């Protein structure tokens, strides 16, 4: 069987699904190119002097790593001259970054490097992105242009820089995985139409926050930990990579449930993870693979955002586990 490159797949998709506009195709092609370059920087790591702190804070008050800034610049510069993009917004920038002289209709919002606490220990990190359409009459430098529900995304995806570099994408007809061939430097289609089983015995949560969770999440995790002797009558396994992109990738590949729930430490901010460039794109991918995505109280993809850097509680993955968590939230809060 001949390899299907990302570019060839996009072109075929353009024909097969009639209406994939060329602007969207360019947005995705150039995003893949930027991810290749980020991957190359990560691969050289300490050799390129790119590890460690940048010595600055982002808009969220988080200390930036050098690679947070480098990855952000690579994405901006790769798209800077493209008239297909109207504007970009990122975790690492206070405000949107309109593309000069562009007549483009698309908006790109990204977390240039997710899980950046993993960088200095040579553990997996990723880039998460979401493509939106510039609303009629909206200004590309306004925050408002980006404040769209996750259900409005034109495309969503991520690159995972792990043992290999993979690009995972949805355009609304399933989830597709492309693996970067380090020899040819092409992304090659390696998996199509991922599906998340409705049941699981594997969960992902930062257990150190246990005492800060709400009662519904306390109850749910207590029941999982009780295993065979508890109400669930089976043992559960736990995994936590500390990079949402890698934890969600595992769920897309072999199932599971992921929680970054509301806790009393982050409640004032609305949660830990960001709606526009973490929860929405990862949520749409999960939903496209047959999983569910919720705050515990509502479907994340139907939230009307009020801020570019808005945070939300995130519960996603196996359908029956997310439904159970929503029931516990209804019963206990
Ligand atoms: P980022 O590196 O983009 O700020 O995101 C980190 C997020 C997410 O990727 C991960 O799930 C979570 O923070 C890790 O949180 P803990 O530090 O609580 O493990
Ligand atoms: Mn992140
Ligand atoms: Mn980040």
């Amino acid at each position: 069987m001949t390899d299907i490159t990302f570019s060839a797949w996009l072109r075929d998709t353009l024909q097969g699904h009639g209406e994939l506009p060329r602007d969207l195709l360019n947005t995705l092609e150039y995003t893949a190119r930027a991810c290749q370059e980020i991957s190359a920087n990560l691969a050289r790591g300490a050799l390129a002097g790119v590890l460690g702190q940048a010595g600055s804070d982002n808009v969220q008050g988080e200390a930036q790593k050098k690679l947070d800034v480098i990855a952000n610049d690579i994405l901006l510069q790769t798209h800077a001259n493209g008239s297909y993009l109207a504007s970009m917004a990122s975790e690492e920038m206070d405000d949107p970054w309109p593309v000069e002289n562009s007549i483009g209709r698309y908006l790109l919002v990204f977390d240039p490097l997710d899980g950046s606490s993993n960088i200095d220990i040579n553990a997996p990190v990723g880039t998460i992105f979401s493509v939106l359409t510039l609303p009629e009459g909206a200004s590309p430098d306004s925050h408002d242009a980006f404040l769209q529900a996750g259900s409005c995304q034109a495309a969503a995806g991520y690159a995972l820089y792990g043992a290999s570099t993979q690009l995972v994408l949805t355009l609304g007809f399933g989830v597709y995985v492309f693996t970067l061939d380090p020899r040819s430097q092409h992304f090659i289609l390696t998996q199509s139409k991922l599906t998340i089983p409705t049941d699981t015995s594997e969960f992902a949560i930062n257990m150190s926050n246990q005492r800060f969770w709400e009662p519904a999440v306390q109850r749910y995790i207590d029941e999982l930990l009780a295993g065979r002797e508890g109400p669930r009558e089976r043992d559960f396994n736990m995994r936590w990579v500390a990079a949402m992109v890698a934890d969600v990738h595992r769920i897309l590949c072999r199932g599971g449930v992921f929680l970054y729930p509301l806790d009393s430490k982050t409640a004032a901010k609305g949660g830990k993870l960001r709606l526009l460039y973490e929860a929405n794109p990862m949520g749409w991918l999960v939903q496209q693979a047959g999983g569910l995505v919720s705050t515990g109280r509502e479907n994340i993809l139907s939230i009307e955002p009020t801020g570019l850097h808005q945070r939300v509680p995130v519960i996603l993955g196996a359908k029956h586990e997310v439904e159970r968590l929503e029931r516990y939230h209804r019963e206990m809060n």
Side-chain angles (χ1 to χ4, degrees), residues 62 68 91-92 110-116 126 128 242-245 272-274 277-278:
E62 298 163 339
D68 285 322
E91 178 189 4
E92 305 302 341
F110 46 81
D111 176 353
L113 217 52
D114 176 65
S116 50
I128 307 175
M244 182 199 202
V245 70
K272 160 103 175 183
L273 298 174
R274 278 58 56 107
Y277 39 84
E278 292 178 321

Side-chain angles (χ1 to χ4, degrees), residues 31-32 34-36 38-40 42-43 111-116 118 122-129 157-169 176-181 187 191 194 241-253 282 285:
T31 300
C35 292
Q36 266 173 261
I38 295 169
S39 178
L42 285 162
D111 176 353
L113 217 52
D114 176 65
S116 50
N118 280 354
N122 200 12
V125 289
T127 298
I128 307 175
F129 60 90
Y158 61 86
L160 173 63
Y161 313 109
S164 60
T165 291
Q166 294 192 303
L167 187 70
V168 179
L169 180 74
Y176 294 81
V177 182
F178 303 84
T179 303
L180 183 63
D181 180 345
F187 279 107
Q191 278 165 286
L194 298 186
V241 185
M244 182 199 202
V245 70
D247 281 308
V248 174
H249 186 70
R250 184 185 58 256
I251 289 170
L252 286 165
C253 292
M282 298 314 260
L285 287 158

Side-chain angles (χ1 to χ4, degrees), residues 129-198:
F129 60 90
S130 162
V131 183
L132 300 165
T133 311
L134 180 69
E136 204 67 43
S139 167
D141 58 6
S142 73
H143 287 226
D144 285 356
F146 288 84
L147 303 184
Q148 304 181 35
S151 54
C152 298
Q153 293 171 99
Y158 61 86
L160 173 63
Y161 313 109
S164 60
T165 291
Q166 294 192 303
L167 187 70
V168 179
L169 180 74
T170 190
L171 291 159
F173 45 85
V175 179
Y176 294 81
V177 182
F178 303 84
T179 303
L180 183 63
D181 180 345
R183 293 184 193 156
S184 67
Q185 282 298 308
H186 288 305
F187 279 107
I188 307 293
L189 180 67
T190 45
Q191 278 165 286
S192 298
K193 302 251 176 204
L194 298 186
T195 51
I196 299 172
T198 50

